[in-house]
Amino acid sequence: MRERFVIRLPVVGGDLAGAVRLARVVARWSGVLGSADPGETTVSAEGEQGVRHRVFCDLRMDGGRRCLLRADHDGPCSRVTGRYALP
């Protein structure tokens, strides 16, 4: 396996719910970049970097792509999130 480096870009939200919503928007936007993996997006409190909250479902679907629904969603996994479908 190739060595990988992960870029962490702090974006601040006022509370956990707001930070998760903002993270979803930023992750969807970054999906246009071939090197981005929006499915790995997590949120943590500034003073608790080791405690991460997943933003998206962590399951991989056919073809190796990740489900783009929220973490802990009900029903089957999907690449479609409301009006948006990502590559």
Side-chain angles (χ1 to χ4, degrees):
M1 182 176 186
R2 284 185 355 189
E3 186 175 23
R4 293 179 5 150
F5 295 89
V6 177
I7 298 169
R8 294 191 188 351
L9 174 65
V11 179
V12 179
D15 57 25
L16 180 58
V20 168
R21 284 191 303 274
L22 181 57
R24 289 178 65 82
V25 170
V26 171
R28 286 181 184 150
W29 175 84
S30 71
V32 302
L33 303 171
S35 58
D37 187 358
E40 285 291 330
T41 303
T42 60
V43 171
S44 63
E46 187 171 19
E48 298 178 359
Q49 297 292 317
V51 179
R52 296 181 182 199
H53 302 272
R54 292 194 73 78
V55 172
F56 296 103
C57 175
D58 63 350
L59 297 178
R60 290 202 181 261
M61 300 174 60
D62 293 337
R65 291 185 154 177
R66 293 185 185 278
C67 171
L68 291 179
L69 298 178
R70 63 178 166 68
D72 303 321
H73 66 84
D74 292 326
C77 291
S78 177
R79 291 287 301 161
V80 177
T81 60
R83 310 181 299 232
Y84 305 100
L86 296 179

